[in-house]
Amino acid sequence: MTTILAIESSCDDTSAAVLRDGQMLSNVIASQKVHEQYGGVVPELASRAHQQNIIPVVDAAIRQAGIDKKEIDAVGFTRGPGLLGSLLVGVSFAKSFATALGVPLIEVNHLQAHVLSHFIRLTPQPSEGPGSRQPQFPFICLLVSGGHTQILLLKDHFDIECLGTTIDDAAGEAIDKAAKIMDLGYPGGPIIDRLAKEGNPDAFHFATPHIAGYDYSFSGIKTSFLYFLRDRLKEDPDFIEKHKADLCASIQKTIVSFLLKKAERAALDRGIRQVAIAGGVSANSLLRSELQRICNKHHWQAFIPPFQFCTDNAAMVGIAAYFKYLKGDFADITLPPYTR
Ligand code: KG4
Ligand code: ZN
């Protein structure tokens, strides 16, 4: 029996989780509200909030798991990529805690953790829907978060080929910027998702760029959205207010269609019949339903994560750490975090 304590602190969520043999016993997440008033994550404030949250969050994760800390066999932590000050809090805590317990440390890459979240086992295991099945290798994973947009081919837990990536902004970043242009609040993703449900996705058309292969680019979509609104606002200062839902539905459809078109192409070209999504944007309701529709069309299997594993959380770090534990892949106490 292997019990892992995992720590995630790469951006603005402080999280700790306990997993036993890949089964989640707890997953505590303290989201930082302090950034909302600034319309984005302020790194200095994030580091401070991690410093305040880390001990209560770890304490809660151990208590909710119903274990004694003496039962912990290893401490997994996100080493990067992320914000340096934020990472330093989690990395330093993990090192101290592992040293105090006399157990090994396991470093985890945040992006691998997002992808491997598909292997977390839940109690009770849902019989259908998100979290009910685990993918088999090889499978394709579209990783879409606030900082990353990648099409990955997983041949094994840690044998991951990157087929395509964004050449500029990440998909989540583009959605957040569109929300910011409309003055909807931060983070914009969940707000656009909610407003889009009331709108017409074909009301407005925003062009997507022609980028070779499986790569993406999102900065042009953001600019065309900005210029479109600037022109309309000249004619009608209330344009955004009047068409908010249609604007959200249209920009969401543009981004989701672009994301899935390339992922579908990659799966077809590689002859892969299982497609997963991961990362914060995988919480998006249109992305989830469209992935399911595309997979049904091709008789492929879709893997859609439970909501709690879409945005940043330590359970995903714990599952990645568990697979590394099985290989005896431990980290040195001197390792510094990496930011990219
Ligand atoms: O994975 P994550 O928590 O942090 C990073 O590693 O970047 O992803 C955060 C991103 C933000 O851009 C946020 O707006 C987006 O995920 N997001 C969503 C939704 N929920 C979160 N985007 C679209 N629809 C959602 N429902
Ligand atoms: Zn993330």
Side-chain angles (χ1 to χ4, degrees):
M1 209 157 63
T2 306
T3 305
I4 302 224
L5 170 72
I7 312 285
E8 157 64 35
S9 74
S10 65
C11 190
D12 60 342
D13 294 300
T14 318
S15 181
V18 176
L19 276 78
R20 182 161 278 167
D21 292 338
Q23 182 138 20
M24 190 181 87
L25 301 184
S26 65
N27 185 33
V28 177
I29 305 168
S31 297
Q32 305 178 358
K33 295 271 169 260
V34 57
H35 309 287
E36 281 170 12
Q37 57 187 301
Y38 300 100
V41 177
V42 184
E44 278 288 311
L45 296 178
S47 317
R48 277 165 223 240
H50 283 304
Q51 192 70 265
Q52 289 169 328
N53 293 340
I54 188 92
I55 290 177
V57 164
V58 170
D59 190 47
I62 292 173
R63 266 188 294 111
Q64 284 181 24
I67 62 155
D68 186 276
K69 56 183 181 304
K70 288 200 247 3
E71 296 173 64
I72 295 170
D73 295 303
V75 179
F77 65 97
T78 302
R79 185 179 170 201
L83 301 169
L84 184 62
S86 291
L87 288 164
L88 276 169
V89 177
V91 172
S92 304
F93 180 89
K95 286 180 180 180
S96 319
F97 205 70
T99 306
L101 293 176
V103 299
L105 267 174
I106 302 171
E107 61 156 309
V108 170
N109 174 293
H110 182 82
L111 306 181
Q112 285 184 351
H114 268 301
V115 177
L116 295 176
S117 65
H118 284 283
F119 295 97
I120 301 168
R121 284 184 298 109
L122 296 164
T123 16
Q125 189 76 16
S127 56
E128 56 183 286
S132 56
R133 291 171 293 118
Q134 302 193 343
Q136 311 271 307
F137 300 109
F139 69 95
I140 279 186
C141 184
L142 173 66
L143 171 60
V144 271
S145 72
H148 301 272
T149 305
Q150 297 180 337
I151 299 179
L152 302 168
L153 174 61
L154 276 94
K155 300 166 193 169
D156 200 352
H157 294 112
F158 299 104
D159 185 0
I160 305 176
E161 184 185 345
C162 182
L163 302 179
T165 186
T166 179
I167 59 169
D168 42 52
D169 295 350
E173 207 177 341
I175 297 175
D176 290 342
K177 282 178 181 167
K180 197 167 185 170
I181 293 169
M182 293 187 280
D183 207 14
L184 298 181
Y186 179 86
I191 304 171
I192 289 201
D193 192 351
R194 179 166 45 79
L195 291 170
K197 291 194 167 77
E198 320 277 299
N200 172 10
D202 299 311
F204 306 110
H205 181 74
F206 304 106
T208 42
H210 295 281
I211 306 286
Y214 310 121
D215 285 343
Y216 294 105
S217 164
F218 288 98
S219 71
I221 298 176
K222 175 196 69 194
T223 315
S224 86
F225 188 67
L226 179 69
Y227 289 169
F228 170 82
L229 284 181
R230 200 185 54 186
D231 293 346
R232 295 299 175 101
L233 285 169
K234 275 188 207 147
E235 297 156 16
D236 177 4
D238 296 328
F239 184 81
I240 294 178
E241 203 45 52
K242 284 181 192 158
H243 302 279
K244 205 181 260 177
D246 285 348
L247 286 165
C248 289
S250 301
I251 192 72
Q252 175 176 275
K253 183 187 170 183
T254 305
I255 292 172
V256 166
S257 309
F258 186 39
L259 283 171
L260 287 175
K261 204 169 82 186
K262 296 238 177 185
E264 181 182 16
R265 186 73 259 156
L268 284 169
D269 291 351
R270 294 293 183 118
I272 304 289
R273 306 179 59 80
Q274 300 175 85
V275 183
I277 49 176
V281 182
S282 65
N284 184 266
S285 50
L286 184 69
L287 182 65
R288 296 166 83 91
S289 61
E290 280 296 285
L291 174 69
Q292 190 62 63
R293 186 186 61 76
I294 289 168
C295 287
N296 290 349
K297 180 180 82 181
H298 293 295
H299 304 289
W300 296 346
Q301 277 190 301
F303 292 90
I304 296 166
F307 284 113
Q308 62 169 326
F309 302 144
C310 293
T311 45
D312 292 345
N313 66 87
M316 68 183 192
V317 178
I319 194 73
Y322 173 61
F323 292 128
K324 285 195 160 187
Y325 183 93
L326 296 180
K327 296 198 302 173
D329 187 353
F330 301 125
D332 189 89
I333 194 81
T334 60
L335 283 186
Y338 52 83
T339 54
R340 41 187 299 143

